[in-house]
Amino acid sequence: MFFASDNGSACPPEVMAAVMAANEGYARGYGAETGMDRVRAALRDTFEAPEAAAYLVATGTAANALSLAVCCPPWGAVFCHRHAHIAEDECGAPEFFTNGAKLVLLDGAHGRMTPEGLTQALGTTGESGVHGVQRGMLSVTNLTEAGTAYSPAEIAALTAPARARGLPCHLDGARFANALVATGATPAEMTWRAGIDIVSFGGTKNGLMGVEAVVIFDPAKAWEFELRRKRAGHLFSKHRYLSAQMEAYLQDGLWLRLAAQANAMAARLADGIADLPGVTLRHPVQANILFPEWPAGTHARAEAAGAVYYRFPAPEGRERARLVTSWSTTGADVDAMIAALRP
Amino acid sequence: MFFASDNGSACPPEVMAAVMAANEGYARGYGAETGMDRVRAALRDTFEAPEAAAYLVATGTAANALSLAVCCPPWGAVFCHRHAHIAEDECGAPEFFTNGAKLVLLDGAHGRMTPEGLTQALGTTGESGVHGVQRGMLSVTNLTEAGTAYSPAEIAALTAPARARGLPCHLDGARFANALVATGATPAEMTWRAGIDIVSFGGTKNGLMGVEAVVIFDPAKAWEFELRRKRAGHLFSKHRYLSAQMEAYLQDGLWLRLAAQANAMAARLADGIADLPGVTLRHPVQANILFPEWPAGTHARAEAAGAVYYRFPAPEGRERARLVTSWSTTGADVDAMIAALRP
Amino acid sequence: MFFASDNGSACPPEVMAAVMAANEGYARGYGAETGMDRVRAALRDTFEAPEAAAYLVATGTAANALSLAVCCPPWGAVFCHRHAHIAEDECGAPEFFTNGAKLVLLDGAHGRMTPEGLTQALGTTGESGVHGVQRGMLSVTNLTEAGTAYSPAEIAALTAPARARGLPCHLDGARFANALVATGATPAEMTWRAGIDIVSFGGTKNGLMGVEAVVIFDPAKAWEFELRRKRAGHLFSKHRYLSAQMEAYLQDGLWLRLAAQANAMAARLADGIADLPGVTLRHPVQANILFPEWPAGTHARAEAAGAVYYRFPAPEGRERARLVTSWSTTGADVDAMIAALRP
Amino acid sequence: MFFASDNGSACPPEVMAAVMAANEGYARGYGAETGMDRVRAALRDTFEAPEAAAYLVATGTAANALSLAVCCPPWGAVFCHRHAHIAEDECGAPEFFTNGAKLVLLDGAHGRMTPEGLTQALGTTGESGVHGVQRGMLSVTNLTEAGTAYSPAEIAALTAPARARGLPCHLDGARFANALVATGATPAEMTWRAGIDIVSFGGTKNGLMGVEAVVIFDPAKAWEFELRRKRAGHLFSKHRYLSAQMEAYLQDGLWLRLAAQANAMAARLADGIADLPGVTLRHPVQANILFPEWPAGTHARAEAAGAVYYRFPAPEGRERARLVTSWSTTGADVDAMIAALRP
């Protein structure tokens, strides 16, 4: 009963088979291997973006921080949600990679920025000439850290005021597949058709050992990205092992099937705990993350049953938790968890 | 006949088996998995350094640049060989990670700095108060980029003047195993007993998919290293796949056997081409890299036979090459190469 | 009727006379001139801190950003008020000088942080290991951007929770003299006796051409400060012109007399407009800045009379302004302004 | 007998009178004062560049480092002489402001780069794809650190290969006036007509308290320069005191008269010591710096006579010195120095 994070899971057999298959003979490195040509083509197909540049890195922080660095000058403001991964979970990587850009944190229920909030922040930033930082870019996370999904229309409503100011728009898609499954949108609808310029396309949380793609719809930024990736130590010599994973991930919709399983298990879990006495959900469950709140004593019972997950402080008499399902979560896991939570 | 680089090789079966074995069930991430405990213990044993801190990253550039960043302030000078990997092959990663330290480039035959050259540079750096950069640290590469190996005594002769100035000493060991096999030294003899404070302990060029360890003999630098690693996007969530590789690498001396094979194949190749007419070696062949120079027309013949390697300009009538062997180079590869080079 | 900023004023005759007097013969530069010895002694006397290190720079942004850089690592959080100068008016200088530290913005009425707000932020920052930024330092502004003054006890109440976490505490004293005059505190009471480690001691807004001191109570940070100052281009070769100004400023209490005049003129202005119909003050007037709100049409009348000051949007039917007095504001200026504002 | 540096001098009366005159009434700040409009016009006239952007800062290091930062990306190489001020005397400011660009140091007699040396460095830099730093820019110093002057044709011969690669070209003109006087060239001939894109136009060493202009011939870089200047703390609030100095400096050719006096005194000194036994000059004396070498014992004699200057180590039996004249050096100073040196 592991619900601590989707990155606690192992990798599906298709991915491991691809890694094994890549372990054959000699190969050119640094992304010049033929496997990367196939990955590039597959990503362009996936995103219906035949001109897009696409690169692989091994961590979500690298994907995000490099994306920000090619979009935002050091004196720019990055508009993002207060609880975005780039704001809370990357130990200042955005500031490091951009040489000191400033994150402007927007509030918004359930991990979501609002167009109104963004418009207001855009209106009050960069209004004092050289004295303050300038408007730099927008970064939207989908799936959000609260487990909610923006629809393409909601993404477009956020990018619109940013684009009206001439700002590039980044999508942190560490759980992009989960967001697509949740909304039924296509990759193109969720990104460039909705005003997104650059995407961190997550693989690791959804079944890869450690591979994320960065898809750049404006190829003019490509060379700078390559230089920044190398300079940050994120260009792999034996790059074939990254491309093999990503190729398998994209093949025959594996990535979406993996996310569908994760989302389905979260829905099953949400259904199950909805019936438990005193359990509420702090955010809508739209994909593979749940934030339940329940009566004191529940943690102890769950732990005794072997459940692993993150706990948070709560007002007296209550307990809070974050439960994350993954491609490898089974119905039996879910049912056991529900049983453990039942008083 | 692939002699372009040791990072063009695949991984040995022991490593892949370990990766497969790690692909089981759920695990804590970010280096908190139990596999990393075993790796830490194995690295401490390997280096006879029970207090050492040890971390994994996925690229040599990350290992080096993070090592420099914890040793050298932004206003410091990093003393290194003119052709060091940190100077020529990392696109300015040292400057990026250190926030602008300055590499002071030392000459020296066959990729080797000399104590005299270092002493002179130490004497002329940082002598003008705040106006110039300050003495920061030493970085030694072993195996050198020229394929030569420093002995422990030679390392000690370099670290001595640096330590006399109170400077930390880094060893870039991207091909550390090859250097040990070449010299017969133990890891401890080659590092802390010779005055080294921090080591980039290479795995990738010697058979791993993409894993390097950083071994820090002074644990006081450990926490800063962890923060810098995270902030640079080099902390893996599914860290188990890194630790599995490193564990297999260190087990039963696999890493030294792999390097021994690479070195033996280079020796065999050096022997074979020594008999060819007009072939000379620009640097002594001590480990797994050769820099032959040969008559014009040889490249064409080798290429026709399917040989892959790096070529360099040479004075008229001659050609230059770099040939690198690896753990997977076979005697048959070598013999075929020699045959191809023979006029 | 210039109330736009205290840095729109010229310099008092004592300061200019000192600059002229310094323009004699040859002098050692870079702070090694004898005038700087006298300045250092005077600052130590002023702060009753015989061991303090003291340096001069020419802008408040330099003083602040260098102070932060010697106190906070790149992965640290700087706790400060949401409207602090370092947050809003330095175009990201703190992020640039610290190599990417993160400002954590605290709310608080009238430009003042509260111990409760700070304690809460301290409690929720740096609680997720390497994933988030670490607690770095506190920066307090006195006089605040809202024109209010913290008392020494209020400063101590803010530094206490920071110091309990081991964090250094900075005071941005761009208008330090105005704060002292407002509170009656001594420099020592307002700084190190209240838990402050490093002070940006402003001179420019209070009558100098462009000189600020940085006073560092812990001399262990001094050498790093000197290196960072030089590296940032803030070490003056003809440093004598800075030290001459600062020496005159500190002599016989000139600096406090200048601030006293500014504060008195603000009080007179506040008194005068208190009687005007429909005028309210958005923040208490404690030193030399006023934030009046008044009926629509007042701006036009003041402008017609020649008044210069900053205007801000206000809810319908009202207008907002910022009025700043300085050492050179006269009673006649104030009275003319009051007359101009009267309907 | 002060020959330590031209920045040890005071300021001429015209400059101080201008500062006094500026100390009148209220003024807009941050470069928006009317004086800066006149300075901008005067600089454009001086450089025959009606579209040029022009800014003031207070130190040469700021002028240089900001100029580099707007021309060179973090992954770029700055080609410069091994003994350039940016390489040796700015404590890594170029690396700090550019976020880690790499200085590629070129040798060349008498402080001068050669077109051949530059062409070779251009040919071997940036030739390994993302692995090495990219060609970034050229920085030429005129007057050189060795006291020699490039002619416009020599500048053009250096910028030609750089421009052929598309690289911007910077001129560090800390002693620009001395170089113009030495060569008889006009500012335009020495800069944009010779391929220079951006100039650090020195004032401090030639008689100002601390003012340097940056003249940018391509106005597209202007806004970025303004942001970087502010962010680095180099934008002065009471900017009028900078513009007043620069205005006086440019008026009626004062700046060239000051430099002419400095150069003439150096020539007189060179003539005088040419007759002394055993005195040689290590570099040609073309402007206001001399590097004599003389018999042991001369330092002691000069010092006894009150001479102040920098000394350097020399082979046995000899001594080396650097002597710098300035606008305030008199014939009497020179004659006394010659007398003191005579055995």
Side-chain angles (χ1 to χ4, degrees):
Chain A
M1 287 194 296
F2 186 96
F3 296 95
S5 176
D6 29 13
N7 63 34
S9 294
C11 305
E14 294 90 335
V15 170
M16 297 312 279
V19 169
M20 289 296 130
N23 193 52
E24 196 58 51
Y26 295 91
R28 297 181 66 192
Y30 301 110
E33 72 282 2
T34 52
M36 185 60 203
D37 295 336
R38 294 191 298 271
V39 166
R40 192 179 298 108
L43 284 166
R44 287 170 169 174
D45 278 358
T46 300
F47 281 91
E48 304 173 53
E51 307 292 327
Y55 299 103
L56 302 183
V57 293
T59 70
T61 295
N64 285 340
L66 288 167
S67 295
L68 301 187
V70 297
C71 289
C72 189
W75 47 85
V78 180
F79 299 93
C80 64
H81 193 276
R82 176 175 303 282
H83 298 305
H85 200 268
I86 61 171
E88 291 202 329
D89 295 301
E90 301 186 353
C91 196
E95 289 86 350
F96 175 46
F97 280 70
T98 61
N99 194 21
K102 192 187 284 280
L103 273 57
V104 172
L105 307 179
L106 305 184
D107 291 307
H110 305 312
R112 285 195 269 232
M113 289 182 279
T114 64
E116 297 70 32
L118 174 59
T119 299
Q120 191 199 5
L122 287 166
T124 56
T125 302
E127 289 290 295
S128 57
V130 297
H131 295 278
V133 295
Q134 307 297 300
R135 297 174 196 101
M137 68 180 296
L138 172 67
S139 179
V140 189
T141 310
N142 203 15
L143 200 67
T144 74
E145 295 294 317
T148 55
Y150 293 103
S151 69
E154 289 169 326
I155 297 285
L158 287 170
T159 62
R163 295 180 76 87
R165 299 281 194 175
L167 307 185
C169 300
H170 166 247
L171 190 144
D172 175 359
R175 294 187 179 96
F176 188 66
N178 304 94
L180 288 192
V181 167
T183 58
T186 68
E189 288 166 354
M190 192 62 93
T191 59
W192 61 269
R193 286 191 185 138
I196 295 295
D197 297 285
I198 189 167
V199 184
S200 299
F201 176 77
T204 310
K205 290 181 191 294
N206 193 31
L208 302 188
M209 288 196 291
V211 186
E212 315 278 307
V214 175
V215 181
I216 310 175
F217 298 115
D218 174 4
K221 292 187 195 300
W223 179 234
E224 178 177 335
F225 187 93
E226 291 197 45
L227 289 162
R228 287 190 182 271
R229 177 178 58 165
K230 170 63 190 175
R231 179 174 175 79
H234 284 292
L235 176 59
F236 277 58
S237 56
K238 294 184 172 175
H239 191 276
R240 60 165 118 175
Y241 298 105
L242 301 190
S243 50
Q245 291 177 66
M246 185 54 75
E247 190 180 359
Y249 186 66
L250 293 172
Q251 200 155 29
D252 301 328
L254 172 63
W255 65 295
L256 291 168
R257 290 200 307 279
L258 296 171
Q261 171 68 10
N263 285 13
M265 291 302 100
R268 180 170 176 155
L269 185 52
D271 282 351
I273 65 180
D275 295 335
L276 301 179
V279 178
T280 53
L281 287 162
R282 308 193 64 234
H283 303 300
V285 177
Q286 300 180 332
N288 70 321
I289 317 181
L290 301 87
F291 288 88
E293 186 176 298
W294 49 44
T298 311
H299 282 334
R301 204 160 53 242
E303 185 176 18
V308 179
Y309 57 86
Y310 279 98
R311 305 167 185 195
F312 303 95
E316 203 166 333
R318 301 285 284 169
E319 294 171 350
R320 287 176 179 170
R322 187 189 78 158
L323 307 176
V324 189
T325 59
S326 81
W327 71 271
S328 70
T329 307
T330 63
D333 293 335
V334 168
D335 296 344
M337 183 68 180
I338 296 166
L341 295 172
R342 182 166 290 128
Chain B
M1 289 194 295
F2 186 95
F3 297 96
S5 176
D6 29 12
N7 63 35
S9 295
C11 304
E14 294 90 334
V15 169
M16 298 310 281
V19 169
M20 288 298 129
N23 193 53
E24 196 59 50
Y26 295 92
R28 297 181 65 191
Y30 301 110
E33 73 280 3
T34 52
M36 186 60 203
D37 295 337
R38 294 191 298 269
V39 166
R40 193 179 298 107
L43 283 166
R44 287 170 170 174
D45 278 358
T46 299
F47 281 90
E48 303 173 53
E51 307 292 328
Y55 299 104
L56 302 183
V57 293
T59 69
T61 295
N64 285 340
L66 288 168
S67 294
L68 300 187
V70 297
C71 289
C72 189
W75 47 84
V78 180
F79 299 93
C80 64
H81 193 274
R82 176 174 303 282
H83 298 304
H85 199 269
I86 60 171
E88 292 202 328
D89 296 301
E90 301 186 352
C91 197
E95 288 88 350
F96 175 46
F97 281 69
T98 60
N99 193 23
K102 192 187 283 281
L103 273 57
V104 173
L105 307 179
L106 304 185
D107 291 307
H110 306 311
R112 283 195 271 232
M113 290 182 277
T114 63
E116 295 72 30
L118 175 59
T119 299
Q120 191 199 4
L122 287 167
T124 56
T125 302
E127 288 290 296
S128 56
V130 297
H131 296 278
V133 294
Q134 308 296 301
R135 296 175 197 102
M137 67 180 298
L138 171 69
S139 180
V140 189
T141 310
N142 204 13
L143 200 69
T144 74
E145 295 295 316
T148 54
Y150 293 103
S151 68
E154 288 169 328
I155 297 285
L158 288 169
T159 61
R163 295 180 78 87
R165 299 282 195 176
L167 306 185
C169 300
H170 166 248
L171 191 143
D172 175 359
R175 294 187 179 98
F176 188 65
N178 304 94
L180 289 191
V181 167
T183 57
T186 68
E189 287 166 355
M190 191 63 94
T191 58
W192 61 270
R193 285 192 185 137
I196 295 295
D197 297 287
I198 189 167
V199 183
S200 298
F201 176 77
T204 310
K205 290 182 191 292
N206 194 31
L208 301 187
M209 289 197 289
V211 186
E212 315 277 308
V214 175
V215 181
I216 309 174
F217 298 115
D218 174 3
K221 293 188 194 301
W223 179 235
E224 178 178 334
F225 187 93
E226 291 197 45
L227 290 162
R228 288 191 182 272
R229 178 177 60 164
K230 170 63 190 174
R231 179 173 175 79
H234 285 291
L235 176 60
F236 277 60
S237 57
K238 293 184 172 175
H239 191 276
R240 58 165 121 174
Y241 298 105
L242 302 190
S243 50
Q245 292 177 66
M246 186 53 76
E247 189 180 0
Y249 186 66
L250 293 173
Q251 200 156 29
D252 300 329
L254 173 63
W255 64 297
L256 292 169
R257 289 198 309 277
L258 296 170
Q261 171 67 10
N263 285 14
M265 290 302 99
R268 181 171 175 153
L269 185 52
D271 283 350
I273 65 179
D275 296 334
L276 301 179
V279 178
T280 53
L281 287 163
R282 307 192 65 234
H283 302 300
V285 177
Q286 301 180 332
N288 70 321
I289 316 182
L290 303 86
F291 288 89
E293 185 176 298
W294 48 47
T298 311
H299 282 337
R301 204 158 54 239
E303 185 177 18
V308 179
Y309 57 87
Y310 279 98
R311 303 166 187 196
F312 302 95
E316 202 167 330
R318 302 284 283 168
E319 295 172 352
R320 286 176 178 168
R322 188 190 76 158
L323 307 177
V324 188
T325 59
S326 82
W327 73 271
S328 70
T329 307
T330 63
D333 293 335
V334 169
D335 297 344
M337 184 66 178
I338 294 168
L341 295 173
R342 182 166 292 129
Chain C
M1 287 192 295
F2 187 94
F3 297 95
S5 177
D6 29 12
N7 61 36
S9 295
C11 304
E14 295 90 334
V15 170
M16 298 311 280
V19 170
M20 288 298 130
N23 194 51
E24 197 57 48
Y26 296 92
R28 298 182 65 190
Y30 301 111
E33 74 280 3
T34 52
M36 186 59 203
D37 294 336
R38 293 191 297 270
V39 167
R40 191 179 299 107
L43 284 166
R44 286 169 171 175
D45 277 358
T46 299
F47 281 91
E48 303 173 52
E51 307 292 327
Y55 300 104
L56 302 183
V57 293
T59 70
T61 295
N64 285 340
L66 288 168
S67 294
L68 300 186
V70 297
C71 289
C72 188
W75 47 85
V78 180
F79 299 92
C80 63
H81 193 274
R82 175 175 303 283
H83 298 304
H85 200 268
I86 61 171
E88 292 203 326
D89 296 302
E90 301 186 353
C91 196
E95 289 87 349
F96 175 45
F97 281 70
T98 60
N99 193 21
K102 192 187 283 281
L103 273 57
V104 173
L105 307 179
L106 304 185
D107 291 307
H110 305 313
R112 285 196 268 232
M113 292 182 276
T114 64
E116 297 70 32
L118 175 59
T119 299
Q120 191 198 4
L122 287 166
T124 56
T125 302
E127 289 290 295
S128 58
V130 297
H131 296 278
V133 294
Q134 308 298 300
R135 296 173 197 100
M137 68 181 295
L138 172 67
S139 179
V140 189
T141 310
N142 203 14
L143 198 71
T144 75
E145 295 295 317
T148 54
Y150 293 104
S151 69
E154 288 168 328
I155 297 285
L158 287 170
T159 61
R163 295 181 77 88
R165 299 284 194 174
L167 306 185
C169 300
H170 167 246
L171 190 144
D172 175 359
R175 294 187 179 96
F176 187 66
N178 304 95
L180 289 192
V181 167
T183 58
T186 68
E189 286 166 355
M190 192 62 93
T191 58
W192 62 270
R193 285 192 184 136
I196 295 294
D197 297 287
I198 189 167
V199 183
S200 299
F201 175 77
T204 309
K205 289 180 191 294
N206 194 32
L208 302 188
M209 289 197 289
V211 185
E212 314 278 307
V214 175
V215 181
I216 311 175
F217 298 115
D218 174 4
K221 292 189 196 298
W223 179 234
E224 178 177 335
F225 187 93
E226 291 196 44
L227 290 162
R228 288 191 180 272
R229 178 177 59 164
K230 169 63 191 173
R231 179 175 175 79
H234 285 291
L235 176 59
F236 277 59
S237 57
K238 293 184 172 174
H239 192 276
R240 59 166 120 174
Y241 298 104
L242 302 189
S243 49
Q245 291 177 67
M246 185 54 75
E247 189 180 0
Y249 186 66
L250 293 172
Q251 200 155 28
D252 300 328
L254 173 63
W255 66 296
L256 292 169
R257 289 199 308 277
L258 297 171
Q261 170 69 9
N263 285 14
M265 291 302 100
R268 180 170 177 155
L269 184 52
D271 282 351
I273 66 181
D275 295 335
L276 301 179
V279 178
T280 52
L281 287 162
R282 307 193 64 236
H283 304 299
V285 177
Q286 301 180 330
N288 70 321
I289 316 181
L290 302 86
F291 288 88
E293 186 177 298
W294 48 47
T298 311
H299 283 335
R301 203 160 52 241
E303 186 175 16
V308 180
Y309 56 87
Y310 280 98
R311 304 168 185 194
F312 303 95
E316 202 166 332
R318 300 285 282 170
E319 295 171 350
R320 287 176 178 168
R322 187 190 76 157
L323 307 176
V324 189
T325 58
S326 80
W327 71 271
S328 68
T329 307
T330 63
D333 293 334
V334 169
D335 296 344
M337 183 68 179
I338 295 167
L341 296 172
R342 181 166 294 128
Chain D
M1 289 193 292
F2 187 94
F3 297 95
S5 176
D6 29 12
N7 62 34
S9 295
C11 304
E14 295 91 335
V15 170
M16 299 311 281
V19 169
M20 288 299 129
N23 194 52
E24 197 58 48
Y26 295 91
R28 297 182 65 193
Y30 302 110
E33 72 281 4
T34 52
M36 186 60 203
D37 295 335
R38 294 191 299 269
V39 167
R40 193 179 298 106
L43 284 166
R44 287 171 171 173
D45 278 356
T46 299
F47 281 91
E48 303 172 53
E51 307 292 327
Y55 300 104
L56 302 183
V57 293
T59 69
T61 295
N64 285 339
L66 288 168
S67 294
L68 301 186
V70 297
C71 289
C72 189
W75 46 85
V78 180
F79 299 93
C80 65
H81 193 276
R82 176 175 302 283
H83 298 305
H85 200 269
I86 60 172
E88 292 203 327
D89 295 302
E90 301 186 352
C91 197
E95 289 86 349
F96 175 46
F97 280 70
T98 61
N99 193 21
K102 191 188 284 279
L103 273 58
V104 173
L105 307 179
L106 304 185
D107 291 308
H110 305 312
R112 284 196 268 233
M113 291 183 276
T114 64
E116 298 70 31
L118 175 59
T119 300
Q120 191 198 4
L122 286 166
T124 55
T125 302
E127 288 291 294
S128 58
V130 297
H131 296 279
V133 294
Q134 308 296 301
R135 295 175 198 100
M137 69 180 296
L138 172 68
S139 180
V140 189
T141 310
N142 203 15
L143 199 70
T144 74
E145 296 294 317
T148 54
Y150 293 103
S151 69
E154 288 169 328
I155 297 284
L158 287 170
T159 62
R163 294 180 78 87
R165 300 281 194 175
L167 306 186
C169 299
H170 166 248
L171 191 143
D172 175 0
R175 295 188 178 96
F176 188 65
N178 304 95
L180 289 191
V181 168
T183 58
T186 68
E189 287 166 354
M190 191 62 94
T191 59
W192 61 270
R193 286 193 185 135
I196 295 295
D197 297 287
I198 188 166
V199 183
S200 299
F201 176 77
T204 310
K205 289 181 191 294
N206 193 31
L208 302 187
M209 288 196 290
V211 185
E212 315 276 308
V214 176
V215 181
I216 311 176
F217 298 114
D218 174 5
K221 293 188 196 299
W223 179 235
E224 178 177 335
F225 187 93
E226 291 197 45
L227 289 162
R228 286 190 183 272
R229 178 178 58 165
K230 170 62 190 175
R231 180 174 175 78
H234 285 291
L235 176 59
F236 277 59
S237 58
K238 293 183 172 176
H239 191 276
R240 59 166 119 174
Y241 298 105
L242 301 190
S243 50
Q245 292 178 66
M246 184 55 74
E247 189 180 1
Y249 186 66
L250 293 172
Q251 200 155 28
D252 301 327
L254 173 64
W255 64 297
L256 292 169
R257 289 200 308 277
L258 296 171
Q261 170 68 9
N263 285 14
M265 290 303 100
R268 180 172 178 152
L269 185 52
D271 283 349
I273 66 179
D275 296 334
L276 301 179
V279 177
T280 53
L281 288 163
R282 306 193 65 233
H283 303 301
V285 176
Q286 301 180 332
N288 70 321
I289 317 182
L290 301 88
F291 288 88
E293 186 177 299
W294 48 45
T298 312
H299 281 337
R301 205 159 52 240
E303 185 175 18
V308 179
Y309 57 86
Y310 279 98
R311 305 167 185 194
F312 302 95
E316 202 166 330
R318 302 283 284 167
E319 294 172 350
R320 287 177 178 167
R322 188 189 78 159
L323 307 177
V324 189
T325 58
S326 81
W327 72 271
S328 70
T329 307
T330 63
D333 293 334
V334 169
D335 297 343
M337 183 68 178
I338 295 167
L341 295 172
R342 181 165 293 128

